[in-house]
Amino acid sequence: MEPFEFEMFAHEILSRLPSKCVGRFKSVCKQRRYELSSSIFSIIHSRRMYNSEHRKLITLTASSIYIDNLIGGKVDICQRKSISFPVDTPLSNLMILAAQYGLLLMCIQGPSDQLILWNPTTNKFLNLCHNKPKRFLDIKVDAVGIYLDSLNDVKILHLQRRMDDVVPRVFSMNTHEWKTLTFLKGPDYASLLYLWSNGTLCNNVLYFASPHYWAPHKSYMIAFDVVSETFSKLSIPQFTHVVARQRCFLKIRNVLHMFVVVKTQDINVKLFKFEDQGWLEVSSFTNPKSISFELCLNNLGEKGAQSWSFITDWGIIIEIKIDMKDLQYLQDAETFQGLYNVPIF
């Protein structure tokens, strides 16, 4: 088969097959393995799988990394398998920062944090901090995100916050080089009174929540347009009694949503969606309960249709009871239970 013909065959047919079937085609010969391992094919294949009912759920704990099949929005724990991380480090040091295009952006926490781009299907990885200064990444204050540019180049955005200054850098998978962008002018963007979230990609925009520790009314979010590679500042839902870091982004049907925990006489969780540059309340839940991460993981495949769990910026797991209407809405979310370290790919 001629190279061009095989490329069409791969992009239009093989990209629609599960990873196991693609792996069999890779074993035909070295040339086919090379062609099916290209970044273009990987992106096309991950996009096809992303819209498939048969997707994978990866769960990172302090002792294991599990992969489960996600069928019709439900976890099939009967075929769970354990995989190894390709870098020799305690799993307790690992944190999943972002998941996009079948790739996971990982942090190895330590005296010098390391940023790792990992493909769990092929087990290939790339250390994005290689040959960089010791404090190039500080996961406690920095923020990151994954996006795809108009040339199908996978890029990693790193927002480095140091000495009251924000330095945005972008890594290109095509060139394996970093370039520096221009950030917004104004005060407080790098202040440690703000704890930025990692980026959530919706409609060619990466969104970063930036809640204030003590003054919720000062909170905002940063939007990064991946086409123009420019930044803007936007509002987030404002409440007098909101706990400053009790917020959580999620994406539903490619629309940005946010959980907000509000403390009045009762504890309320409100779900908002971002439309026309403004926030619209979708649902409200009264008196949620806090549970531990370990308990939530133990019940991952058993919770049924009665509850939804998400993790706040404080690291607290909030569980809310949902009815059938909310269940139908939330099951289209592109995160599983809103939990950190439990992404879909």
Side-chain angles (χ1 to χ4, degrees):
M1 189 180 290
E2 294 294 323
F4 181 74
E5 292 178 350
F6 181 78
E7 182 179 290
M8 292 287 290
F9 173 68
H11 291 181
E12 296 301 323
I13 297 177
L14 296 185
S15 65
R16 302 176 191 273
L17 299 178
S19 300
K20 186 179 292 185
C21 296
V22 174
R24 290 171 183 165
F25 276 95
K26 286 183 178 182
S27 64
V28 171
C29 64
K30 289 183 178 180
Q31 182 62 25
R32 292 293 177 257
R33 184 176 185 85
Y34 172 78
E35 291 164 337
L36 294 176
S37 299
S38 70
S39 59
I40 295 292
F41 177 80
S42 297
I43 292 168
I44 294 174
H45 183 254
S46 66
R47 281 178 167 176
R48 304 273 197 211
M49 292 299 101
Y50 201 76
N51 295 321
S52 169
E53 291 186 355
H54 300 274
R55 297 164 67 187
K56 301 291 185 182
L57 179 80
I58 191 164
T59 305
L60 172 63
T61 71
S63 58
S64 301
I65 302 176
Y66 297 110
I67 290 185
D68 298 294
N69 292 323
L70 194 64
I71 302 175
K74 296 182 179 180
V75 181
D76 179 15
I77 60 174
C78 297
Q79 299 186 34
R80 168 173 287 185
K81 66 177 183 179
S82 177
I83 63 172
S84 300
F85 190 64
V87 180
D88 185 18
T89 185
L91 295 185
S92 57
N93 290 345
L94 287 179
M95 181 187 299
I96 299 174
L97 306 178
Q100 201 76 33
Y101 315 121
L103 302 172
L104 298 181
L105 195 56
M106 313 285 293
C107 174
I108 301 178
Q109 302 174 87
S112 180
D113 292 332
Q114 298 295 304
L115 193 60
I116 305 292
L117 189 63
W118 177 40
N119 185 332
T121 302
T122 63
N123 213 30
K124 292 183 178 179
F125 74 96
L126 186 64
N127 188 335
L128 305 182
C129 293
H130 185 62
N131 292 331
K132 291 298 179 183
K134 185 175 181 179
R135 289 198 69 231
F136 180 77
L137 175 70
D138 185 343
I139 202 57
K140 294 180 180 178
V141 296
D142 293 351
V144 296
I146 307 177
Y147 67 96
L148 192 70
D149 71 6
S150 58
L151 300 177
N152 284 329
D153 183 9
V154 176
K155 291 187 173 180
I156 312 301
L157 176 65
H158 172 212
L159 298 172
Q160 186 186 67
R161 301 196 299 147
R162 302 286 187 280
M163 302 295 292
D164 295 326
D165 192 19
V166 179
V167 179
R169 296 185 176 90
V170 172
F171 180 86
S172 164
M173 284 291 290
N174 284 350
T175 65
H176 281 210
E177 294 180 349
W178 289 92
K179 74 173 181 179
T180 302
L181 303 178
T182 302
F183 196 69
L184 301 170
K185 301 294 183 183
D188 295 334
Y189 290 120
S191 169
L192 296 184
L193 291 175
Y194 292 90
L195 179 71
W196 288 27
S197 72
N198 292 313
T200 299
L201 184 65
C202 286
N203 296 317
N204 290 325
V205 178
L206 273 172
Y207 294 97
F208 301 84
S210 184
H212 194 280
Y213 269 94
W214 310 118
H217 64 280
K218 293 185 178 181
S219 301
Y220 57 83
M221 71 177 178
I222 295 295
F224 175 71
D225 187 310
V226 305
V227 178
S228 62
E229 294 190 331
T230 56
F231 296 89
S232 59
K233 180 180 178 180
L234 301 172
S235 66
I236 59 176
Q238 300 291 336
F239 291 91
T240 304
H241 300 289
V242 67
V243 179
R245 293 168 57 192
Q246 300 280 61
R247 293 180 168 91
C248 172
F249 270 157
L250 70 159
K251 184 167 62 171
I252 303 175
R253 301 172 194 151
N254 207 31
V255 176
L256 185 70
H257 287 66
M258 176 184 281
F259 280 121
V260 179
V261 182
V262 183
K263 284 192 174 182
T264 53
Q265 291 182 345
D266 297 319
I267 297 177
N268 293 295
V269 174
K270 296 182 180 294
L271 177 64
F272 292 83
K273 68 176 178 179
F274 188 62
E275 276 190 341
D276 301 324
Q277 303 300 302
W279 292 94
L280 176 66
E281 184 175 332
V282 175
S283 295
S284 181
F285 311 90
T286 304
N287 290 327
K289 63 178 182 178
S290 298
I291 57 178
S292 69
F293 189 64
E294 290 76 14
L295 177 61
C296 198
L297 291 179
N298 290 337
N299 295 331
L300 199 60
E302 305 168 3
K303 300 193 74 63
Q306 290 76 40
S307 64
W308 178 274
S309 302
F310 66 95
I311 192 165
T312 70
D313 289 327
W314 281 112
I316 299 172
I317 302 291
I318 301 293
E319 183 180 71
I320 56 178
K321 291 183 178 180
I322 56 178
D323 57 24
M324 187 56 64
K325 179 182 177 181
D326 289 320
L327 171 66
Q328 292 173 345
Y329 191 85
L330 286 169
Q331 69 182 4
D332 290 329
E334 297 172 21
T335 56
F336 186 79
Q337 299 195 157
L339 291 182
Y340 213 38
N341 284 342
V342 190
I344 297 170
F345 70 99

